[in-house]
Amino acid sequence: MKRIGALLVILFLTKMAFAQNHIIPLWEGTPPLQKEMDLKEEAVQEGILRISNVQKPTIEVYLPTKQIATGEAIVIFPGGGYGILAYDWEGTDFAKWLNSQGIAGIVVKYRLPISKSLTDPKEVPLLDSQRAIRLVRQHASEWNINPDRVGIMGFSAGGHLASTLSTQYDHSIDRDQDSIDQLSARPDFSILVYPVITFNDRFTHGGSKKNLLGESPDPELVKRFSNELNVNENTPPTFLVHAQDDQAVPLENSTLYYQALHANQVKASLHIYPTGGHGFAFGMGRVAVESWRDTLLDWIKNLE
């Protein structure tokens, strides 16, 4: 009997553990702006889980226990230059950490614009990001989330996507819509970690720009996706963090966005560390940036 009782406890705890995170498709059937092709998603685990050629975008939902839940949720966009997703390093690892702080973490496996199945690649990441935040609001009551406390977090190219969503949350394309599309896609706050912001040749990350817009993009598209040019008074409050010695995405990406936020009287917090390089994620082992998450938590707690 004792053995049976112990087994039941283990099964119960296992069920509870699985109940805390689950995966939901962003779209029913074939996603918008995509044609049916026999293409397969690829996932390679080499220290970091790198996912590419996403065909079925999803959100992976991690919920804190109700006893510590703050009601806040953060939708996470991993980076990878719009070519891959650093899915654990800048995604699920952070969702789990946020859970320990009482915050729901939702990781978006968004489609990447280099996929051959996409009919209008430049629009797809933004479309998936809008859908993700709307899905979170649709499930807010079920997931014990305050729909007015849904923020976003993006790393590197995922930071470009997060800043695009922050400035173009109401952008729409001609497509079939459903009831979820009636919900707001505006983030309540934004966290940008060593983000790509501008597509100005002087300061941009060339790989992200090429993968999203192609080899020789129209100047109007370059302007549209240079997000420092699209900030207005309705852009959400923003936390930015960057290392001065970032050799991949120049520091100016964050400073340009901060200046635009300040000029539009949007509350913003910019944190520049002398060292840390690019892609530091948690910052472990990179002394200068190891404490940036503590600073972030203080900022979240003081959001109005």
Side-chain angles (χ1 to χ4, degrees), residues 62 76 91-100 103-107:
Y62 289 80
I76 305 168
T92 53
D93 287 352
F94 274 86
K96 295 169 188 176
W97 170 71
L98 288 168
N99 277 189
S100 72
I103 302 169
I106 294 96
V107 184

Side-chain angles (χ1 to χ4, degrees), residues 32-132:
L33 303 183
Q34 184 170 317
K35 55 189 176 183
E36 285 291 342
M37 295 182 68
D38 188 23
L39 298 177
K40 303 296 183 183
E41 177 182 304
E42 298 176 9
V44 178
Q45 180 77 65
E46 293 178 347
I48 297 173
L49 176 59
R50 294 173 169 87
I51 294 178
S52 59
N53 206 30
V54 175
Q55 300 300 305
K56 296 181 179 179
T58 61
I59 53 174
E60 186 165 355
V61 182
Y62 289 80
L63 301 177
T65 57
K66 288 188 177 182
Q67 290 88 337
I68 66 168
T70 65
E72 292 160 326
I74 295 179
V75 180
I76 305 168
F77 305 105
Y82 283 124
I84 60 103
L85 300 177
Y87 193 74
D88 51 1
W89 183 248
E90 296 170 345
T92 53
D93 287 352
F94 274 86
K96 295 169 188 176
W97 170 71
L98 288 168
N99 277 189
S100 72
Q101 308 302 318
I103 302 169
I106 294 96
V107 184
V108 187
K109 187 169 70 175
Y110 55 93
R111 289 172 291 167
L112 298 160
I114 59 174
S115 174
K116 294 179 180 179
S117 63
L118 304 182
T119 59
D120 193 351
K122 71 182 186 303
E123 300 292 347
V124 168
L126 176 58
L127 186 62
D128 284 353
S129 70
Q130 291 172 320
R131 185 69 170 190

Side-chain angles (χ1 to χ4, degrees), residues 155-156 192-196 203 239-255 269-283 286-292:
F155 299 79
S156 194
L192 306 180
V193 188
Y194 38 84
V196 178
F203 299 123
F239 178 100
L240 296 121
V241 60
H242 220 117
Q244 190 175 359
D245 65 347
D246 191 326
Q247 299 300 308
V249 178
L251 170 63
E252 284 81 1
N253 282 267
S254 284
T255 58
S269 184
L270 171 62
H271 301 271
I272 301 171
Y273 294 87
T275 59
H278 188 71
F280 53 76
F282 276 78
R286 305 192 192 189
V287 179
V289 294
E290 280 190 337
S291 64
W292 79 267

Side-chain angles (χ1 to χ4, degrees), residues 161-191:
L161 179 54
S163 61
T164 304
L165 180 60
S166 295
T167 54
Q168 300 185 46
Y169 51 84
D170 57 357
H171 178 76
S172 61
I173 60 171
D174 184 19
R175 63 178 179 86
D176 293 336
Q177 298 200 357
D178 57 24
S179 60
I180 299 173
D181 291 306
Q182 308 312 309
L183 298 171
S184 173
R186 180 187 180 273
D188 293 303
F189 56 93
S190 178
I191 302 159

